[in-house]
Amino acid sequence: MFLGELSEAMGVSGAENEVRNLIKEEVTDYVDEVKTDTLGNLIVHKKGNKSLPSLLIAAHMDEIGLMVTNIEKNGLLSFKPVGAVDKRILVSKQVVIGDDKVPGVIGAKAIHLQEPAERKKPLKIKQLYIDIGAKDEKVAKELVEIGDTATFNTKFSQLSKETVKGKAFDNRVGCSLLIDLLQQDYDFPFYGVFSVQEEVGLRGVGPAVYDLNPDLALVLEGTTASDVPESKEHDYSTIVGDGPALTVMDATIIPNRSLLQELITIAKDEEIDYQFRKSTSAGTDAGRIHLLKEGIPTAVISVPVRYIHSPASMLDLSDYQAVNDLVDKFCVKLAQGGISLERSN
């Protein structure tokens, strides 16, 4: 499935070129207009009936990763995290660096050489390095440059009939869903925004959406699933296999109540299982979109993902399909003139 290609593509915040090119090639035949703005957001438009409300659906292309900040004399690479990278999981992970995808391994002082006290603490970023096998600084500089980004070298695969694993499901899963929806025909003005730099502060989507000023907006995401050992059930953010996760509040938005209720009603009418995202931390591009102009009614629909922001995440394809079905039914109802919302909460 195309989600696999998107997952394996390299697209650390600020370096989303490969992902953008894949998406552009995939959607161009299905839309009326395609453009890339100065920041690198990919914006597409299907014209539709102007008497109907316009809908914008956004999904961010970027992923968390690393950036090379220095090339040492011994050929090792110093780096900094890009986005919320958990430094505890970095040691020994395979990465690829830059446009040429130079392979490397994240290394640290061997455990045999560590003092007893060192072994009890997570290693700090400054104690880690990327080893690309270069014997010295000169050789390393022939392969990489300061400012190059690195991502985990993870292959997408299917673990069971319903379960797949890969990297960057936050938020290549949202991109894949948006691509699916753009291939359908809905008779309303439809904007799609594949945004950049979400993982470093929701930076890209605001400029992309500002001039579009849609009547309604949905943000498609991959979100944290905490249904794992040592997590208490009442603390689960979402549960894999329980359907689309609807946000009621997070650190950046309280979604438009009537829009959220419309999604709930459709889910019930269509017998689509759904759940509420229980965590109120973090945020999505919705946090920027809903504040633009005089305010844009916005809601967030997510696919639950285990081990988010790690080298390998997992999701259930039934959740993916349920999100697709829910948004599709919403779009059908909108095209039939069955949705009318105030531009305020």
Side-chain angles (χ1 to χ4, degrees), residues 279-323:
S279 173
T280 58
S281 63
T284 71
D285 278 341
R288 286 284 187 266
I289 294 171
H290 82 290
L291 297 176
L292 296 172
K293 297 294 180 74
E294 68 270 25
I296 298 171
T298 305
V300 185
I301 309 171
S302 301
V303 176
V305 178
R306 287 191 191 135
Y307 323 124
I308 210 164
H309 283 205
S310 78
S313 301
M314 294 172 58
L315 63 81
D316 192 309
L317 293 174
S318 69
D319 290 331
Y320 180 100
Q321 187 59 51
V323 172

Side-chain angles (χ1 to χ4, degrees), residues 59-60 168-175 177 198-199 219-225 238 245 277 283-284 300-306 308-309 315:
H60 71 88
F169 285 166
D170 176 14
N171 182 36
R172 305 293 158 69
V173 64
C175 293
L177 284 161
E198 190 267 1
E199 296 291 0
V219 172
L220 301 181
E221 265 284 4
T223 196
T224 305
T238 66
R277 181 180 181 273
T284 71
V300 185
I301 309 171
S302 301
V303 176
V305 178
R306 287 191 191 135
I308 210 164
H309 283 205
L315 63 81

Side-chain angles (χ1 to χ4, degrees), residues 69-87:
T69 55
N70 196 39
I71 301 175
E72 307 296 339
K73 291 183 179 180
N74 60 5
L76 300 176
L77 312 178
S78 298
F79 64 87
K80 294 289 186 183
V82 180
V85 178
D86 185 351
K87 61 179 179 289

Side-chain angles (χ1 to χ4, degrees), residues 100-278:
D100 293 332
K101 296 190 177 181
V102 176
V105 176
I106 299 174
K109 189 201 306 186
I111 192 169
H112 312 79
L113 305 179
Q114 294 175 17
E115 299 295 332
E118 289 182 284
R119 301 175 189 175
K120 298 178 182 179
K121 300 177 182 179
L123 293 168
K124 298 178 181 179
I125 294 291
K126 65 181 180 181
Q127 297 174 282
L128 304 174
Y129 51 83
I130 300 175
D131 191 337
I132 58 172
K135 67 177 183 179
D136 55 32
E137 180 183 9
K138 180 181 178 182
V139 173
K141 285 185 173 179
E142 293 174 354
L143 299 171
V144 300
E145 297 179 353
I146 292 175
D148 281 349
T149 56
T151 189
F152 301 113
N153 191 14
T154 304
K155 300 302 180 184
F156 177 89
S157 65
Q158 192 145 351
L159 300 180
S160 68
K161 182 179 179 180
E162 292 292 348
T163 306
V164 294
K165 70 94 175 172
K167 73 168 180 66
F169 285 166
D170 176 14
N171 182 36
R172 305 293 158 69
V173 64
C175 293
S176 182
L177 284 161
L178 177 49
I179 291 167
D180 291 344
L181 292 161
L182 286 168
Q183 293 176 3
Q184 307 304 313
D185 290 319
Y186 307 113
D187 192 22
F188 55 77
F190 186 175
Y191 297 98
V193 172
F194 299 90
S195 64
V196 298
Q197 298 190 41
E198 190 267 1
E199 296 291 0
V200 290
L202 319 181
R203 297 176 184 174
V205 77
V209 176
Y210 186 85
D211 284 335
L212 303 178
N213 197 26
D215 295 305
L216 307 170
L218 297 176
V219 172
L220 301 181
E221 265 284 4
T223 196
T224 305
S226 302
D227 53 338
V228 294
E230 298 187 14
S231 290
K232 295 180 180 179
E233 187 172 348
H234 68 272
D235 288 332
Y236 291 173
S237 177
T238 66
I239 298 174
V240 170
D242 276 12
L246 304 178
T247 294
V248 293
M249 181 176 76
D250 64 26
T252 63
I253 186 176
I254 297 176
N256 180 277
R257 293 298 184 183
S258 56
L259 180 53
L260 177 60
Q261 187 56 54
E262 190 68 54
L263 291 168
I264 293 170
T265 298
I266 292 171
K268 289 179 177 178
D269 290 345
E270 299 294 334
E271 299 183 341
I272 299 171
D273 291 336
Y274 69 95
Q275 58 187 304
F276 294 112
R277 181 180 181 273
K278 295 180 180 179

